[in-house]
Amino acid sequence: MGGKHVSSVGLVALCGPTCGGKTSLARMLIERWGSVFAPLVTTTTRAPRAGERRDVDYHFMSRFEFEEIRARGWLIEADEIAGEAYGLQHADLKRLQESGRIGVVVLTPKGIAPIREACERLGKRLVSVYLGATREDLMVRFLQRYRADSEDSAALYANRLIHMLDEQPAWERAAPYDIVEKAYGDETGASVLERIQAQIVEDAVWVADETAMRVRH
């Protein structure tokens, strides 16, 4: 995608269970169309993982700092996953909108309504996407991630697994998503990209071809 663009879409929000493919799809959007999409950086209390960059992958902070910015009203939304807090800051969304690019963010269904309202206040539209998978596929991916992770403890993964099995099955019905893919994976990735692209071109400002989204003059 190239050139100057104007779109009614301000943000693409990706929801779904742990190991559902959200992070990989976000990366795919940004790597494929970097002039159009940019990450909306999440703030979290969890520790950085190997290779993660502060204020690029996440805003990392202590629980005390997180609660402080929440009390000040700086967060659009916040949620807890496996004992760690995650949230999005108003300043990050505003800065992203001023850049002229469409944000991409991973969040829980609890964040859909407040982030949609925040987009609307900026005159933009939210496209929400749910990525699911079968219970078996999620478990296989989860175990593969655990085996490849040499840093996080088994106890931490146990908490994530409990959350995935107990809390996350209800997420598919927890919000009115614009796009739902119940079996996201290698075979459906291209289809989901096309459906996101279709949402963005819906207002006829954009026209798409195989490699780019270009402005329709």
Side-chain angles (χ1 to χ4, degrees):
M1 297 182 202
K4 182 178 174 62
H5 63 277
V6 178
S7 174
S8 66
V9 175
L11 190 67
V12 175
L14 307 177
C15 297
T18 300
C19 298
K22 307 177 296 298
T23 301
S24 63
L25 180 60
R27 187 181 302 114
M28 201 182 309
L29 282 168
I30 294 164
E31 289 178 352
R32 184 170 180 180
W33 296 305
S35 64
V36 173
F37 293 105
L40 176 58
V41 180
T42 298
T43 299
T44 182
T45 60
R46 77 160 173 79
R49 295 173 185 154
E52 289 183 334
R53 297 162 294 172
R54 187 175 297 275
D55 300 326
V56 175
D57 297 294
Y58 288 90
H59 299 308
F60 296 102
M61 61 179 56
S62 68
R63 173 66 71 162
F64 176 84
E65 291 171 318
F66 190 93
E67 295 304 333
E68 181 71 15
I69 66 170
R70 174 150 49 185
R72 289 172 179 258
W74 293 358
L75 293 177
I76 300 169
E77 58 83 40
D79 204 354
E80 300 270 335
I81 300 178
E84 301 291 353
Y86 296 80
L88 298 171
Q89 297 188 43
H90 287 282
D92 288 319
L93 179 61
K94 184 177 180 182
R95 188 159 43 245
L96 182 63
Q97 296 305 306
E98 289 172 348
S99 77
R101 288 190 288 179
I102 298 170
V104 180
V105 67
V106 173
L107 77 176
T108 69
K110 184 179 177 181
I112 292 290
I115 200 69
R116 191 185 302 278
E117 292 172 5
C119 285
E120 290 173 353
R121 285 195 294 270
L122 294 172
K124 291 293 184 177
R125 182 164 63 92
L126 174 74
V127 173
S128 57
V129 182
Y130 179 83
L131 302 178
T134 66
R135 188 182 179 95
E136 180 180 359
D137 284 344
L138 291 174
M139 289 295 294
V140 168
R141 296 174 193 172
F142 185 89
L143 292 172
Q144 289 172 337
R145 181 181 295 183
Y146 173 62
R147 291 181 62 185
D149 191 343
S150 61
E151 295 197 4
D152 285 345
S153 67
L156 183 59
Y157 267 89
N159 285 334
R160 290 176 184 164
L161 181 58
I162 290 169
H163 192 274
M164 184 176 79
L165 297 177
D166 290 352
E167 304 285 340
Q168 297 176 13
W171 282 6
E172 182 181 341
R173 300 176 299 279
Y177 303 104
D178 298 298
I179 297 170
V180 174
E181 176 53 65
K182 297 184 178 182
Y184 181 74
D186 293 339
E187 295 181 356
T188 59
S191 172
V192 174
L193 282 176
E194 290 176 1
R195 291 157 74 184
I196 292 173
Q197 199 171 4
Q199 288 280 333
I200 294 171
V201 306
E202 194 174 61
D203 58 9
V205 174
W206 293 94
V207 61
D209 61 24
E210 291 182 358
T211 59
M213 285 186 191
R214 297 197 299 261
V215 178
R216 172 181 290 166
H217 298 287

